[in-house]
Amino acid sequence: MNKFTLQLMGAGSLTLILSGCSVFFTDHSDDYQDQKPAVSTLAVPPGSASSKDTLVIPNETAIADLEPSKPFVTPRAPFVFYPMVAVGITEQDDAIEFLIPASKEKSKRIVADFLTALHGAGTPISTQTDDQITTVPFDFHPQGWWASLWSSITRIHPAQTAFSFRFNEIEGKTLMRVQFRDEQQDVEPSGWISPDQNDDAYSVAIRLWGTIGRQLNQSSAYLSNRDDAVSFPVWVDHKGIYSIRLGNNVSPSELEMTLSAAGIYIVPGVDPLLAPVPPEDVARIGDVVDFNIPVGKGEKQKLFNVYRRNLDDVGWEEREYPYKITHQKAGDFLVIDVSATDYPEVTSFHLTQRFVN
């Protein structure tokens, strides 16, 4: 008898033993279904009160009913916007100037802390004098492995962004000039120019404007003064996005007047939308636009009409933006959703500046 036959006979025997249990033994698992419950009647003396199967609470009539004192209010998340001090900003041909209502030493300290947070690990400042701070080059678009290998082979490295901050104290205030330049390995750096010539540099300058305004506002540092109302309507969050404080209990008519005074238009429709231009001038996907080609000397020639497939070539002032009115303890706030743009901080800054100027 071979090994396979033994295994087959063993498996068959085990199966027979297990299955045979139900043949020789009676299954009593369902016997309870055929049983009838035993019912007994309580014997009580004649004239007794009928029994009730209820919960008896002593002195129930003396217990007052619990009534809510006020409607339940769903808890809100902490407010993420913080008040700002008014910091003047002017765009010159070769720089962006901030008029900071603080001393030069305090302004330099705020800028240094901002650069440390922007740079991360390491030292962000290359040189520092009494009236100037120069940063190391910032790499806002790190290369991947293949791009880095290609740069090592071709010896053509990407340009990085360095900043220059000049401070001049005037009558208790500080005039700060912000400039940037591109620095590239093995290449002579360019001259200092205005940050509005580069999207990344401009975004950093706008974020710095909000950081300075928030740091100078002492009410953002002390919880006891957190609810103090400030005259400057622009508030900022930790991501550099701005909102507008409208006041307390703002009505729809007051909101419309505020938007109209700032040159902002409400777009008709079901969804709450607003735009910096009249609704008929808003650029939308599907619009018929001209397809032009450059012909030299800054001139263009129209070839034919096409349908707009995306908004990549549309500036911030021709778009529409969702908005909402947030009701908080500090008042009512206009929050404009600019997350669909490439540089939300810059777009938010441009929109809120219309409420300041």
Side-chain angles (χ1 to χ4, degrees):
M1 186 178 296
N2 55 22
K3 184 178 180 181
F4 175 76
T5 304
L6 289 174
Q7 293 177 349
L8 182 62
M9 292 180 62
S13 302
L14 181 61
T15 303
L16 181 61
I17 293 173
L18 294 178
S19 61
C21 294
S22 60
V23 177
F24 300 105
F25 299 98
T26 304
D27 185 8
H28 296 280
S29 61
D30 296 331
D31 289 351
Y32 72 96
Q33 298 182 5
D34 300 330
Q35 299 295 326
K36 294 183 179 180
V39 178
S40 60
T41 303
L42 180 64
V44 296
S48 299
S50 59
S51 61
K52 296 181 181 179
D53 189 11
T54 58
L55 176 65
V56 178
I57 301 177
N59 302 319
E60 183 179 5
T61 57
I63 300 176
D65 294 333
L66 180 62
E67 296 180 358
S69 59
K70 57 183 178 179
F72 177 75
V73 178
T74 303
R76 295 192 183 101
F79 194 60
V80 297
F81 288 94
Y82 305 93
M84 292 178 52
V85 166
V87 177
I89 180 171
T90 306
E91 297 185 8
Q92 303 292 348
D93 294 336
D94 60 341
I96 293 181
E97 294 183 348
F98 293 165
L99 186 59
I100 306 173
S103 63
K104 182 170 61 175
E105 289 73 16
K106 188 171 185 178
S107 301
K108 290 176 62 178
R109 185 169 61 253
I110 294 176
V111 172
D113 294 341
F114 171 79
L115 294 175
T116 301
L118 181 66
H119 185 267
T123 303
I125 298 176
S126 174
T127 60
Q128 181 173 183
T129 62
D130 182 62
D131 59 352
Q132 185 179 10
I133 293 178
T134 304
T135 71
V136 299
F138 286 84
D139 187 7
F140 294 111
H141 304 281
Q143 287 184 304
W145 188 85
W146 288 107
S148 178
L149 177 62
W150 180 252
S151 297
S152 301
I153 296 174
T154 60
R155 298 185 182 277
I156 301 176
H157 301 275
Q160 298 181 349
T161 306
F163 294 92
S164 172
F165 304 90
R166 289 187 176 273
F167 304 87
N168 184 19
E169 189 167 349
I170 304 174
E171 297 179 354
K173 297 183 178 182
T174 302
L175 180 64
M176 182 180 69
R177 289 173 54 87
V178 183
Q179 295 177 303
F180 91 101
R181 71 181 181 186
D182 290 330
E183 295 187 5
Q184 193 172 2
Q185 185 175 342
D186 302 329
V187 178
E188 188 68 20
S190 61
W192 296 104
I193 57 178
S194 175
D196 60 5
Q197 303 297 320
N198 180 275
D199 292 333
D200 294 317
Y202 193 47
S203 179
V204 170
I206 295 306
R207 197 182 312 167
L208 176 60
W209 178 75
T211 300
I212 295 175
R214 175 185 172 183
Q215 293 296 328
L216 291 180
N217 185 30
Q218 296 299 324
S219 63
S220 65
Y222 302 103
L223 295 178
S224 59
N225 299 330
R226 191 70 172 272
D227 299 330
D228 291 350
V230 294
S231 58
F232 195 56
V234 182
W235 290 43
V236 64
D237 69 354
H238 63 284
K239 295 182 179 179
I241 305 300
Y242 302 97
S243 69
I244 299 298
R245 184 180 184 276
L246 301 173
N248 296 318
N249 301 322
V250 177
S251 63
S253 59
E254 294 175 335
L255 172 63
E256 188 174 356
M257 292 177 55
T258 302
L259 294 176
S260 178
I264 303 294
Y265 301 85
I266 296 180
V267 180
V270 178
D271 298 328
L273 299 172
L274 52 79
V277 294
E280 59 272 13
D281 296 335
V282 174
R284 296 181 176 88
I285 297 176
D287 292 343
V288 178
V289 296
D290 299 337
F291 182 80
N292 302 321
I293 59 172
V295 295
K297 297 182 180 179
E299 298 181 356
K300 296 182 180 180
Q301 181 179 356
K302 175 184 174 181
L303 293 183
F304 45 82
N305 293 331
V306 296
Y307 289 99
R308 177 179 281 119
R309 301 179 59 182
N310 52 57
L311 301 178
D312 294 342
D313 60 337
V314 178
W316 67 270
E317 65 277 359
E318 298 180 5
R319 298 193 181 196
E320 59 185 8
Y321 304 93
Y323 75 94
K324 63 179 180 180
I325 305 300
T326 302
H327 305 281
Q328 296 288 343
K329 187 176 181 180
D332 298 340
F333 291 83
L334 172 64
V335 182
I336 305 175
D337 185 5
V338 294
S339 58
T341 59
D342 294 332
Y343 294 90
E345 304 97 337
V346 176
T347 305
S348 180
F349 168 78
H350 286 309
L351 291 172
T352 54
Q353 282 299 301
R354 294 201 171 193
F355 296 87
V356 177
N357 300 327

